[in-house]
Amino acid sequence: MPFKRNVYERAVYKEPGPVLDRENPFESMMKRFDIAAEILDLDPGLYEYLCTPSRVHITAIPVTMDDGRLKVFEGYRVIHNEILGPSKGGIRYAPDVTLDEVKALAAWMTWKCAVVDVPFGGGKGGVVCNPREMSPGELERLTRRYTANMIDVFGPDRDIPAPDMNTNEQTMAWILDTYSMHARRTENAVVTGKPIMLGGSQGRKEATGRGVMTVTLAAMERLNLRPSNCTVAVQGFGNVGSVAAKLLAEQGCKVVAIADVTGGYYNENGLDVLHALEYSRANQNTLEGYSEATKITQEELLTLDVDVVVPAAKENQITEEIARNIRAKIVSEGANGPTLPEADDILNEKGILVIPDILANAGGVTVSYFEWVQNRHGYYWTLDRVNRRLDRIMRKAFDDVYNASQTYNVPLRIGAYVLAVDKVASALRMRGIYA
Ligand code: NAD
């Protein structure tokens, strides 16, 4: 049987980006940066330097389509900066990718890596194409030519891509192969998010959900809550939500509600998460018809009388109205951008501890870093070692963000940005600017 893989299959691991205002993504990133810059009283020159991408690459990608036509696609790679190390960030394929969006996402990767102390700078790539209308062969040729065009940009010491929207393990395998062909040696540290057999890391698929579990436990500790006394509701039962629910249950929490796109499922006596997972797997990855629970709406789930809510489905779920009705003590953002800015203010006023996405779902990029380290050593860690090191990093990142929020008397979200911008700015001052 030849190697067959559905190249459209959902990527299980992404180097996440924030939800950006499609009208003006760069400005929406800058709003967060500006608050941190103001608190830190950044020098205007440093401010300008830190918000300007250090390199922007735009390339034409000719591809022979299956019908013999030649089509030219536009591709980008933006290196926001390499102050803390080689740049790191995903590549997205989508018809509406813009250079502004890629610039904003590259900057966001700089802050995200800094929050978890991963020694990388920020980068991001994009190709304007519609992968759903392209065959596997066309996607492979597009990926290979994009890689060849970026041969002087990518590299284990320079810039390390990963999967993002509409790219996955297979895309990373093609990049690895093309880069290695040009380098005349196998260079698997050039990308992360690879298949395990090509140098991917153990624990990678669970890394984001595991990180959510670690920071949620750390938050409980700060609030003097014991996991065994806590009830949890999780929205989203995919890669992030199901792992977070499973691991929180293993820690003694009572998971009373879960939800996927088909609705919420509630059982006040607690749900058997493993059983629900088995049910979902056998039921085309949905919980539809799950009989061990009462069906509720997404809104009911988010506003249940529980200790912790984990939004791990998609963006913009916690609106102002929902925020007013949220009864949880902790909101742990597994998803990117699940809370609208106006809702954020309400949660803060109510004294609810919101663990921001930039911290809560950083487990993915952390294990990406581990993957790169293992590739460079040529020595592979056990799952246990990956998990222990991930837990340690996430725990420390939570404590650092928490302390920053206390020092500046700001919510954790702003604390995370202050911490990240301060780290990068301090490193820059130490290196000095070659100007
Ligand atoms: P996934 O596709 O594996 O799962 C998404 C889940 O959400 C599914 O259970 C789906 O049914 C459910 N869902 C979809 N729409 C919904 C809705 N309207 N209401 C309720 N549930 C809904 O995705 P994932 O990888 O788990 O990612 C979830 C979120 O976490 C996204 O915001 C993603 O950007 C973010 N994230 C993922 C990773 C990662 O490593 N996978 C890393 C960082 C951030």
Side-chain angles (χ1 to χ4, degrees):
M1 184 83 175
F3 176 61
K4 260 192 178 175
R5 178 183 281 272
N6 175 4
V7 292
Y8 305 119
E9 88 187 1
R10 193 177 68 206
V12 289
Y13 170 78
K14 299 159 206 136
E15 264 170 20
V19 180
L20 299 166
D21 175 0
R22 302 291 299 193
E23 293 297 307
N24 201 335
F26 200 69
E27 257 177 35
S28 103
M29 187 279 300
M30 285 304 296
K31 269 186 210 150
R32 301 159 169 126
F33 175 76
D34 280 351
I35 301 174
E38 206 180 308
I39 290 175
L40 293 167
D41 198 16
L42 267 196
D43 166 87
L46 217 61
Y47 173 92
E48 198 180 341
Y49 189 82
L50 286 178
C51 55
T52 312
S54 73
R55 273 175 291 133
V56 174
H57 303 271
I58 305 176
T59 187
I61 310 166
V63 176
T64 306
M65 305 303 277
D66 290 347
D67 62 7
R69 274 179 315 133
L70 188 71
K71 206 170 161 187
V72 182
F73 296 86
E74 186 158 284
Y76 313 114
R77 186 74 187 170
V78 174
I79 312 301
H80 176 247
N81 75 54
E82 298 150 290
I83 296 167
L84 294 176
S87 48
K88 181 93 193 79
I91 296 170
R92 50 178 55 185
Y93 288 175
D96 54 356
V97 170
T98 66
L99 184 57
D100 238 14
E101 174 186 341
V102 178
K103 279 187 193 173
L105 292 164
W108 197 74
M109 280 304 294
T110 299
W111 316 130
K112 177 135 201 155
C113 291
V115 168
V116 276
D117 249 338
V118 159
F120 287 140
K124 203 81 183 184
V127 177
V128 187
C129 65
N130 190 348
R132 287 178 205 287
E133 286 174 2
M134 294 171 72
S135 71
E138 289 168 344
L139 280 173
E140 179 174 349
R141 292 192 288 280
L142 173 92
T143 304
R144 287 187 183 279
R145 183 59 198 256
Y146 173 67
T147 308
N149 290 3
M150 294 291 165
I151 211 77
D152 296 324
V153 177
F154 295 165
D157 292 310
R158 290 193 294 253
D159 178 42
I160 307 133
D164 193 86
M165 192 189 289
N166 297 326
T167 56
N168 57 21
E169 287 190 340
Q170 175 63 80
T171 323
M172 296 306 110
W174 290 328
I175 296 177
L176 182 165
D177 185 68
T178 311
Y179 186 88
S180 300
M181 290 292 121
H182 284 261
R184 300 285 188 266
R185 63 178 183 276
T186 295
E187 192 57 270
N188 54 12
V190 70
V191 283
T192 62
K194 299 179 286 289
I196 294 236
M197 78 171 90
L198 295 179
S201 178
Q202 295 290 338
R204 186 190 76 223
K205 283 183 190 160
E206 295 79 22
T208 307
R210 189 172 180 89
V212 170
M213 179 267 292
T214 308
V215 294
T216 307
L217 293 182
M220 286 176 185
E221 221 173 90
R222 294 280 176 175
L223 299 184
N224 288 323
L225 298 170
R226 276 171 185 233
S228 54
N229 291 337
C230 286
T231 48
V232 179
V234 181
Q235 186 196 37
F237 207 55
N239 179 251
V240 181
S242 69
V243 174
K246 186 182 87 168
L247 296 178
L248 283 167
E250 276 174 21
Q251 294 297 321
C253 300
K254 195 201 275 186
V255 177
V256 292
I258 51 178
D260 67 7
V261 71
T262 65
Y265 300 82
Y266 173 66
N267 185 333
E268 64 172 339
N269 298 318
L271 290 155
D272 179 345
V273 179
L274 287 180
H275 182 261
L277 255 173
E278 270 167 37
Y279 178 88
S280 168
R281 278 193 196 121
N283 196 33
Q284 293 169 331
N285 286 325
T286 86
L287 290 162
E288 184 68 72
Y290 191 54
S291 59
E292 306 295 314
T294 311
K295 190 121 185 227
I296 57 173
T297 63
Q298 305 288 346
E299 184 169 346
E300 282 168 335
L301 177 135
L302 294 169
T303 56
L304 278 173
D305 187 9
V306 289
D307 298 291
V308 181
V309 167
V310 180
K314 55 187 293 212
E315 66 278 6
N316 302 341
Q317 293 302 294
I318 303 182
T319 58
E320 268 177 275
E321 199 188 330
I322 290 181
R324 266 187 225 106
N325 297 326
I326 284 191
R327 287 182 278 176
K329 301 177 184 76
I330 296 169
V331 172
S332 189
E333 295 186 339
N336 281 316
T339 311
L340 289 167
E342 312 79 55
D344 216 18
D345 296 339
I346 297 171
L347 296 177
N348 292 333
E349 276 160 26
K350 288 171 72 174
I352 295 170
L353 196 63
V354 180
I355 312 174
D357 49 6
I358 192 172
L359 165 67
N361 67 35
V365 76
T366 304
V367 176
S368 220
Y369 164 53
F370 293 169
E371 181 176 332
W372 176 83
V373 170
Q374 292 170 79
N375 295 153
R376 308 216 73 196
H377 278 192
Y379 178 73
Y380 289 84
W381 306 350
T382 59
L383 177 60
D384 187 49
R385 173 172 283 202
V386 170
N387 285 344
R388 272 189 285 117
R389 291 184 170 180
L390 171 62
D391 293 350
R392 202 159 64 214
I393 286 187
M394 293 303 294
R395 179 67 212 217
K396 178 175 182 302
F398 178 88
D399 290 343
D400 291 348
V401 168
Y402 190 89
N403 293 339
S405 82
Q406 297 280 304
T407 305
Y408 296 101
N409 196 20
V410 289
L412 292 188
R413 194 183 307 282
I414 304 299
Y417 276 92
V418 170
L419 183 77
V421 174
D422 192 30
K423 247 181 228 175
V424 179
S426 305
L428 181 60
R429 284 192 206 97
M430 241 176 261
R431 285 178 67 149
I433 301 175
Y434 190 178

